[in-house]
Each structure stands twice: as structure tokens, then as C-alpha cells.
Amino acid sequence: MEENTEQQAAEEVVAETAEQAVEGEVVEEQVVAELSEEQQKIAELEQKLAAAQATIDGQKDSVIRAKAEVDNIRRRSAQEVDKAKKFALEKFAGELLVVVDNLERGLENIDKDDESNKAMIEGIELTLQSLLAALDKFGVNVVDPKDQPFNPELHQAMSMQPVEGVDANTVIAVMQKGYELNGRLLRPAMVMVSK
């Protein structure tokens, strides 16, 4: 009987060990299954995180570009407003130049020796000076290039004459003064140039 009991005990141990081995495999399979499910979830979450990061990066780039565009528009608008302020008077000033020319011509052609014309001459000169001062106040400047080198950006050559003792391409006479408005040519000076 003792042999039987020992044999039974051994069989029970073997059976128990076999049972534990089977349970261990099942537990191991469950652990592996749980791990692979968790790894799949982790992989999915990592993919979603990478996609979210890519979206954020794209949106950051879009926001930076939009901000730069807004800054460019703001800068361009400020420049256009500044130009509009500077050159809004261009047509008006151009029309006033005709008045200046007529006043200057009137002064050139009036008989200055006649005493009766003195008051009129003085009135025309004062009117001309106040008109030129008003134009100067708003950025209209005279281009009077007498005895200066010819500059095609500011002068319009009406004729050329050979003159002794004067360098070639020098303005020898101004037929009509030119004017600039805030550095921009409003009307070129009409000049006679030496050959």
C-alpha cells in the first residue's frame, strides 16, 4: 500500500505539474495576447500622435505664412498711403505751374522803367513769391539747371548750340523751369544745351 500511495502521490505530482504547465502555457498565451493588444494600441496611438504632430506642424506653417502675408499687406498699405499723401497734390500742383509760368512771363515782359508799372510789378512779384512759398511748403521744388551739366532725367533738351568756353552738354539757357514734387519729377526743365 505504501508503494501505491507513493505511486499515487507521484502521479498526482506529475498530474499537478502537467496541469500547471498547461495553465502556464495558457497564462503565457494570455500574457502574449494582452501584450500584443497593448502593443497594437500603442502603435495606433503612436500613429495618431504622429498624424496630429504633422497636422500641427502644417498649421504652424500656415499660421506663420498668414502672419507674414498680413504683415506684407500692412506694410504695402502703409507705403501706398504714404505715397498717396505725398503725391495727391501732383495734378493740382501741375495746374498751378501754369500760373507760376504766366506770372514769370508777365514780369519779364512788363516795362520796368515806367514808374506807373511799379505798383503792378511789386504786386505780381509778391503774388509769385507767395505762390512759390505755398508750393514749396507742400514739397514742390524748382529745377533750374542753368550752367549745370545736362541730366536727361530732369531736363528736356530743346536745342543744342556750340558755345565757346563752355563744356559740352552744359545747360546754357532755361526756356521753362522744371519742378519736382517730393523728389518725383513733375515737369522737366526745357533747356538749351551746349555742343
Side-chain angles (χ1 to χ4, degrees), residues 25-44:
E25 287 176 11
V26 170
V27 169
E28 200 173 289
E29 286 176 13
Q30 287 175 348
V31 169
V32 168
E34 285 177 16
L35 279 177
S36 68
E37 282 180 26
E38 286 179 6
Q39 286 175 343
Q40 287 175 353
K41 285 182 181 178
I42 290 171
E44 278 181 43

Side-chain angles (χ1 to χ4, degrees), residues 62 64 74 77 85 120 145 192:
S62 295
I64 289 170
R74 190 174 290 138
S77 297
K85 284 179 183 177
M120 187 174 16
M192 186 181 297

Side-chain angles (χ1 to χ4, degrees), residues 64-77:
I64 289 170
R65 288 179 190 269
K67 185 181 180 314
E69 183 65 27
V70 167
D71 289 345
N72 287 341
I73 289 171
R74 190 174 290 138
R75 188 176 30 59
R76 271 188 247 122
S77 297

Side-chain angles (χ1 to χ4, degrees), residues 84-103:
K85 284 179 183 177
K86 277 185 176 179
F87 303 113
L89 298 174
E90 191 170 4
K91 288 182 182 178
F92 180 68
E95 293 297 320
L96 287 180
L97 297 182
V98 176
V99 176
V100 171
D101 291 341
N102 288 335
L103 288 173

Side-chain angles (χ1 to χ4, degrees), residues 11 20 34 46 71 92 135 142 144 169:
E11 286 176 4
Q20 285 177 354
E34 285 177 16
E46 285 177 346
D71 289 345
F92 180 68
L135 288 172
V142 177
D144 190 3
N169 292 326

Side-chain angles (χ1 to χ4, degrees), residues 19-168:
E19 225 176 87
Q20 285 177 354
V22 169
E23 281 178 16
E25 287 176 11
V26 170
V27 169
E28 200 173 289
E29 286 176 13
Q30 287 175 348
V31 169
V32 168
E34 285 177 16
L35 279 177
S36 68
E37 282 180 26
E38 286 179 6
Q39 286 175 343
Q40 287 175 353
K41 285 182 181 178
I42 290 171
E44 278 181 43
L45 291 174
E46 285 177 346
Q47 286 177 346
K48 287 180 181 178
L49 179 63
Q53 282 296 112
T55 303
I56 289 170
D57 291 342
Q59 289 177 347
K60 278 183 184 177
D61 187 51
S62 295
V63 168
I64 289 170
R65 288 179 190 269
K67 185 181 180 314
E69 183 65 27
V70 167
D71 289 345
N72 287 341
I73 289 171
R74 190 174 290 138
R75 188 176 30 59
R76 271 188 247 122
S77 297
Q79 287 174 346
E80 288 174 8
V81 166
D82 190 39
K83 281 183 182 177
K85 284 179 183 177
K86 277 185 176 179
F87 303 113
L89 298 174
E90 191 170 4
K91 288 182 182 178
F92 180 68
E95 293 297 320
L96 287 180
L97 297 182
V98 176
V99 176
V100 171
D101 291 341
N102 288 335
L103 288 173
E104 287 175 344
R105 263 187 245 129
L107 281 174
E108 287 173 7
N109 294 322
I110 199 164
D111 184 14
K112 293 180 183 173
D113 295 332
D114 189 356
E115 287 293 320
S116 63
N117 291 337
K118 244 184 183 169
M120 187 174 16
I121 291 171
E122 189 175 315
I124 294 172
E125 285 176 345
L126 289 174
T127 304
L128 178 62
Q129 288 173 1
S130 64
L131 183 57
L132 289 174
L135 288 172
D136 187 51
K137 181 179 175 182
F138 290 99
V140 178
N141 299 316
V142 177
V143 177
D144 190 3
K146 183 137 170 68
D147 299 327
Q148 294 178 3
F150 177 74
N151 181 352
E153 293 177 4
L154 299 174
H155 313 142
Q156 182 176 354
M158 301 306 288
S159 67
M160 292 185 82
Q161 281 188 345
V163 179
E164 288 185 34
V166 177
D167 294 338

